[in-house]
Amino acid sequence: MAEIVSNSLKYLTIGVHDESWGMVVTTVGMQHIEPNANYPAMSHPTTYNFKSQNGRILAEYQLVYIVEGGGFFESQSLPRQRVEAGTVILIFPHEWHSYAPDKELGWGEYWIGFKGEMAQRMEAAGYFSPKEPLVKIGLSNTLMALYRDAIRLADKENIACQQLVSGIVIHMLGHILYKERNRGAEVGRAEEIINEARQIMRERANHNLQVEDVARELGVGYSWFRQNFKRLMGVSPAQHITRLLMSRAKELLVSESIPIANIAYILGFENVGQFSTAFRRVEGVSPRQFRNENSKKMFII
């Protein structure tokens, strides 16, 4: 499943307006390193090439996916660690690092380099951290296919290639995060309970749904539930319910066939005033203003 049958190395052109997109891709490739072979096997520009004993510092992010063999990784933030197949190595800008396959094993790797505001926002939000640069997700056909898609696009480098390939990087990052947080049998008790809670909230979201009732139904204490929900989701359970509620409200408001008073009732509010106050607090406009503005947009071609 993981075998790399050919080596490929691409460096992409970055146009004048590409960086305004929010992310650009610098390089993408794959290579198979035989046991006892030199590493790196292919020549790179001076800013990318390195010797494992010295390491290097890049001015960009990279995702290096080890799909065969094994080796080591170390960085400014992490002491030397063993790396097995199925591990994604996250390299961060201006962070010293070094990695290489074991001489007796070799390895197969995919990589892609990128930079821009999108990636910086993800790091700032804590989705990925230099302190945890090794993400064990196992062997993923989906992720390998995304790398190969990026390589094919980079090979042709047609107009708007940067925008399309950077979209692939976003897909990769989301896939890595999802796989890491939902590792099948390894998913912890907290993750299982929070996933179940989110399902309950989606199905029953209304103004009367109480977080305490959800926690009680799942057989956990309110404090434990709230703490773990916020840790995994980034928002409190009450905020998550409000988001679901307002999302449902906007869906209903776009349909002019449903009176606003009926929408308030459907969502569990006692009256239109209570619904309007809650909606304005979150969305910044009244339900009627939202309906008027968005119904107009529906007819603009």
Side-chain angles (χ1 to χ4, degrees), residues 135-263:
V135 185
K136 298 179 181 179
I137 66 167
L139 296 177
S140 167
N141 278 318
T142 298
L143 187 55
M144 285 185 277
L146 289 170
Y147 275 104
R148 290 192 291 268
D149 285 346
I151 291 168
R152 281 193 291 269
L153 288 166
D155 190 43
K156 295 180 179 179
E157 203 164 1
N158 291 334
I159 295 172
C161 174
Q162 276 288 351
Q163 286 67 45
L164 189 53
V165 178
S166 64
I168 291 176
V169 173
I170 296 296
H171 191 164
M172 286 178 171
L173 290 167
H175 182 76
I176 291 165
L177 188 67
Y178 179 86
K179 293 284 285 185
E180 192 273 334
R181 294 192 177 182
N182 297 274
R183 288 192 296 260
E186 297 179 13
V187 174
R189 177 171 176 262
E191 286 88 346
E192 291 177 348
I193 289 173
I194 299 312
N195 281 337
E196 190 173 349
R198 292 174 62 211
Q199 182 65 29
I200 292 172
M201 292 173 180
R202 277 195 299 271
E203 292 174 352
R204 306 182 198 169
N206 66 66
H207 183 64
N208 297 315
L209 181 61
Q210 299 297 311
V211 175
E212 292 87 345
D213 293 338
V214 176
R216 191 178 302 113
E217 181 173 338
L218 294 170
V220 297
Y222 169 73
S223 296
W224 181 95
F225 177 67
R226 188 181 187 284
Q227 179 181 354
N228 280 280
F229 193 100
K230 190 167 186 177
R231 175 176 65 85
L232 293 169
M233 297 300 300
V235 296
S236 70
Q239 289 172 319
H240 186 71
I241 291 172
T242 298
R243 288 182 178 182
L244 292 172
L245 199 61
M246 292 303 106
S247 178
R248 178 62 176 149
K250 288 187 285 187
E251 289 177 7
L252 294 170
L253 285 166
V254 169
S255 173
E256 291 199 358
S257 62
I258 307 176
I260 293 177
N262 288 15
I263 294 174

Side-chain angles (χ1 to χ4, degrees), residues 33-39 101-107:
I33 306 298
E34 293 286 349
N36 300 309
N38 291 329
Y39 184 81
D102 290 333
K103 279 289 186 181
E104 65 273 18
L105 288 178
W107 72 16

